[in-house]
Amino acid sequence: MPGLLRAICWIESQGSVEYEDLQRERLGLWALTPEVAREHGLDLTERPDPRLDPVMSTLAARSYLMELFYQTGGKSWLLASRAYPKGPGARRDIRRRKNTWTEEELGLWHW
Protein backbone atom coordinates (compact mmCIF):
# COMPACT_ATOMS: atom_id res chain seq x y z
CA MET A 1 0.00 0.00 0.00
CA PRO A 2 2.80 2.60 0.56
CA GLY A 3 3.49 2.83 -3.18
CA LEU A 4 -0.22 3.29 -3.81
CA LEU A 5 -0.34 6.11 -1.26
CA ARG A 6 2.57 7.87 -2.94
CA ALA A 7 0.84 7.56 -6.32
CA ILE A 8 -2.43 8.98 -4.99
CA CYS A 9 -0.57 11.85 -3.34
CA TRP A 10 1.22 12.70 -6.57
CA ILE A 11 -1.92 12.46 -8.68
CA GLU A 12 -3.99 14.55 -6.28
CA SER A 13 -1.55 17.39 -5.49
CA GLN A 14 1.74 16.71 -7.29
CA GLY A 15 3.16 16.26 -3.79
CA SER A 16 2.47 19.84 -2.69
CA VAL A 17 1.37 20.42 0.91
CA GLU A 18 0.07 23.81 -0.23
CA TYR A 19 -2.21 22.42 -2.97
CA GLU A 20 -5.55 24.24 -3.33
CA ASP A 21 -8.52 23.50 -5.55
CA LEU A 22 -10.92 26.14 -4.29
CA GLN A 23 -13.61 25.28 -6.81
CA ARG A 24 -13.94 21.75 -5.40
CA GLU A 25 -12.86 22.76 -1.86
CA ARG A 26 -9.94 20.32 -1.91
CA LEU A 27 -6.84 21.28 0.03
CA GLY A 28 -3.41 19.97 0.98
CA LEU A 29 -1.14 17.09 0.10
CA TRP A 30 -4.06 14.67 -0.24
CA ALA A 31 -6.57 17.15 -1.70
CA LEU A 32 -9.09 16.31 1.01
CA THR A 33 -12.58 17.77 0.83
CA PRO A 34 -13.97 19.27 4.05
CA GLU A 35 -16.47 16.41 4.40
CA VAL A 36 -13.88 13.65 4.05
CA ALA A 37 -11.42 15.51 6.31
CA ARG A 38 -13.98 15.88 9.12
CA GLU A 39 -15.17 12.27 8.82
CA HIS A 40 -11.58 11.07 9.19
CA GLY A 41 -10.61 13.02 12.27
CA LEU A 42 -9.56 16.51 11.21
CA ASP A 43 -10.99 19.49 13.09
CA LEU A 44 -11.49 22.14 10.42
CA THR A 45 -12.18 24.85 12.99
CA GLU A 46 -8.46 24.86 13.81
CA ARG A 47 -6.15 27.34 12.12
CA PRO A 48 -4.12 26.73 10.11
CA ASP A 49 -6.34 24.22 8.34
CA PRO A 50 -5.13 20.72 9.36
CA ARG A 51 -5.44 19.55 5.74
CA LEU A 52 -2.24 21.56 5.19
CA ASP A 53 -0.39 19.53 7.85
CA PRO A 54 1.37 16.64 6.07
CA VAL A 55 1.16 14.26 9.05
CA MET A 56 -2.46 14.97 10.02
CA SER A 57 -3.67 14.91 6.42
CA THR A 58 -1.78 11.68 5.66
CA LEU A 59 -3.48 9.96 8.60
CA ALA A 60 -6.89 11.18 7.39
CA ALA A 61 -6.15 10.12 3.80
CA ARG A 62 -5.03 6.68 4.93
CA SER A 63 -8.19 6.28 7.00
CA TYR A 64 -10.34 7.29 4.02
CA LEU A 65 -8.54 4.93 1.66
CA MET A 66 -8.93 2.08 4.17
CA GLU A 67 -12.66 2.83 4.37
CA LEU A 68 -12.94 2.65 0.58
CA PHE A 69 -10.95 -0.60 0.52
CA TYR A 70 -13.22 -2.25 3.09
CA GLN A 71 -16.26 -1.09 1.15
CA THR A 72 -15.02 -3.17 -1.80
CA GLY A 73 -15.27 -6.14 0.54
CA GLY A 74 -11.52 -5.95 1.19
CA LYS A 75 -10.92 -7.08 -2.39
CA SER A 76 -9.30 -4.24 -4.28
CA TRP A 77 -6.81 -1.52 -3.45
CA LEU A 78 -6.94 -0.49 -7.09
CA LEU A 79 -10.69 0.12 -6.98
CA ALA A 80 -10.33 2.00 -3.69
CA SER A 81 -7.62 4.19 -5.23
CA ARG A 82 -9.80 4.88 -8.26
CA ALA A 83 -12.65 5.92 -5.96
CA TYR A 84 -10.44 8.18 -3.81
CA PRO A 85 -10.64 11.35 -5.95
CA LYS A 86 -14.41 11.07 -6.26
CA GLY A 87 -14.87 11.98 -2.60
CA PRO A 88 -18.02 11.04 -0.69
CA GLY A 89 -19.87 10.03 -3.88
CA ALA A 90 -17.45 7.13 -4.28
CA ARG A 91 -18.89 5.40 -1.23
CA ARG A 92 -22.35 5.36 -2.76
CA ASP A 93 -20.97 3.94 -6.01
CA ILE A 94 -19.09 1.20 -4.17
CA ARG A 95 -22.08 0.24 -2.01
CA ARG A 96 -24.44 0.15 -5.00
CA ARG A 97 -22.16 -2.23 -6.95
CA LYS A 98 -20.89 -4.32 -4.05
CA ASN A 99 -20.02 -7.88 -5.09
CA THR A 100 -20.62 -7.19 -8.80
CA TRP A 101 -17.02 -6.34 -9.72
CA THR A 102 -15.28 -7.86 -12.71
CA GLU A 103 -11.72 -9.16 -12.40
CA GLU A 104 -10.49 -6.14 -14.34
CA GLU A 105 -12.23 -3.70 -11.96
CA LEU A 106 -10.83 -5.53 -8.96
CA GLY A 107 -7.35 -4.98 -10.31
CA LEU A 108 -6.27 -8.60 -10.38
CA TRP A 109 -3.41 -7.67 -12.66
CA HIS A 110 -0.05 -6.10 -11.78
CA TRP A 111 0.40 -2.41 -12.44
Side-chain angles (χ1 to χ4, degrees), residues 44-106:
L44 299 186
T45 62
E46 294 179 14
R47 291 293 172 244
D49 191 313
R51 293 177 292 171
L52 295 172
D53 180 305
V55 173
M56 298 292 290
S57 64
T58 297
L59 293 173
R62 186 189 73 148
S63 173
Y64 177 50
L65 188 60
M66 293 288 294
E67 174 190 339
L68 293 171
F69 175 71
Y70 288 120
Q71 286 186 3
T72 70
K75 295 179 181 177
S76 177
W77 284 111
L78 182 61
L79 189 59
S81 69
R82 285 181 175 174
Y84 182 95
K86 295 181 180 178
R91 289 178 246 170
R92 289 185 295 275
D93 293 344
I94 289 173
R95 280 194 296 270
R96 186 176 27 221
R97 290 203 44 212
K98 196 169 189 176
N99 298 320
T100 64
W101 312 108
T102 66
E103 281 189 20
E104 184 175 276
E105 288 172 312
L106 289 172

Side-chain angles (χ1 to χ4, degrees), residues 3-48:
L4 178 62
L5 280 174
R6 282 193 300 273
I8 291 171
C9 174
W10 183 255
I11 291 166
E12 292 297 308
S13 70
Q14 290 73 50
S16 172
V17 295
E18 298 172 354
Y19 174 80
E20 288 184 36
D21 178 348
L22 299 179
Q23 182 178 357
R24 295 181 358 192
E25 298 183 86
R26 297 164 60 103
L27 189 63
L29 193 59
W30 300 98
L32 295 170
T33 63
E35 182 178 350
V36 168
R38 278 190 293 274
E39 288 176 0
H40 293 276
L42 298 183
D43 180 1
L44 299 186
T45 62
E46 294 179 14
R47 291 293 172 244

